[in-house]
Amino acid sequence: PFPHIEIDNFLIPSVALTGSQKFPSQRESSWVHYSHFNEDKCAITNVSRMPDFFRELIAELNSHHFIESLEKLTGVSNLKADPTLQGGGLHLTKRGGFLNIHADFTAHPIQRSWQRQVNLLLYFNQNWTESYEGHLELWSRDMKNCVRKISPVLNKCVIFNTDTDSFHGVPEPLNCPPEITRNSLALYF
């Protein structure tokens, strides 16, 4: 429906598995809860409150070397990382959680001269099954139908253009057991 790519085995498998094991549990106090009409999920955007593993991973994904690769992949030049992780960071969704279909803000909420161009999502869900729901849905530009469903399985990365009509979300409430959560890292460039 809009420019995007799915990359399986994005990280070295042992690194992805470590990320899955180091992902903060739903009991951690660092989570900020977002619960209203459009979403029911949690986030950590302050890197100082994240495990060292994720600080290092974010630093690598925000590095000049990775951003150059991202520019080649997307065809978008002059990308830069958002060190404040506005709208990004670690995301956790519990049973019953969701994120309605939406297009991300293209203007950065703090740096008004910055325009978001690219979104990167990386999943840390071991043994995720289809019955848990939690698929990332990519919708048509006219928002009439879902064109693509992507399962949030361990080590899958989804990269897509951040445009005013790049409609996406996780609209179906999660149906996972209470002790299981949907875990991801989101970064904007």
Side-chain angles (χ1 to χ4, degrees):
F2 47 84
H4 72 282
I5 187 169
E6 295 174 52
I7 304 170
D8 292 319
N9 300 311
F10 183 73
L11 302 173
I12 295 168
S14 61
V15 173
L17 186 58
T18 298
S20 174
Q21 295 163 347
K22 301 265 183 195
F23 205 90
S25 79
Q26 58 185 312
R27 294 176 297 283
E28 293 287 328
S29 62
S30 298
W31 292 110
V32 175
H33 298 265
Y34 299 93
S35 184
H36 52 77
F37 176 76
N38 285 320
E39 65 187 331
D40 187 358
K41 67 176 191 175
C42 304
I44 301 175
T45 59
N46 183 339
V47 288
S48 69
R49 301 194 72 157
M50 294 178 188
D52 289 341
F53 173 90
F54 288 100
R55 287 184 209 165
E56 293 170 15
L57 178 59
I58 290 169
E60 181 64 30
L61 295 176
N62 283 341
S63 72
H64 178 72
H65 176 75
F66 182 77
I67 290 174
E68 280 183 341
S69 299
L70 199 55
E71 288 176 337
K72 289 177 187 170
L73 175 70
T74 63
V76 179
S77 58
N78 300 314
L79 290 175
K80 61 180 150 191
D82 176 8
T84 64
L85 300 179
Q86 292 296 310
L90 299 181
H91 291 177
L92 175 145
T93 308
K94 301 175 189 177
R95 179 183 178 88
F98 63 94
L99 176 61
N100 282 339
I101 302 301
H102 66 287
D104 293 323
F105 293 112
T106 56
H108 190 279
I110 296 170
Q111 300 291 335
R112 294 297 183 176
S113 63
W114 293 5
Q115 183 179 2
R116 290 176 170 166
Q117 297 286 314
V118 175
N119 191 340
L120 180 148
L121 302 173
L122 179 56
Y123 297 105
F124 292 94
N125 304 300
Q126 252 185 299
N127 305 317
W128 194 261
T129 69
E130 293 295 308
S131 65
Y132 294 172
E133 296 294 345
H135 297 87
L136 172 66
E137 295 187 10
L138 307 181
W139 280 55
S140 61
R141 291 185 185 266
D142 60 7
M143 255 189 91
K144 290 189 176 176
N145 60 334
C146 175
V147 176
R148 183 87 180 101
K149 282 187 172 188
I150 300 168
S151 185
V153 296
L154 178 65
N155 209 10
K156 181 179 289 277
C157 181
V158 181
I159 300 170
F160 58 91
N161 286 21
T162 305
D163 293 318
T164 56
D165 56 2
S166 297
F167 295 111
H168 64 283
V170 184
E172 296 298 322
L174 262 63
N175 190 33
C176 52
E179 68 278 5
I180 297 197
T181 57
R182 181 185 187 274
N183 306 325
S184 62
L185 169 65
L187 297 174
Y188 288 101
F189 300 88

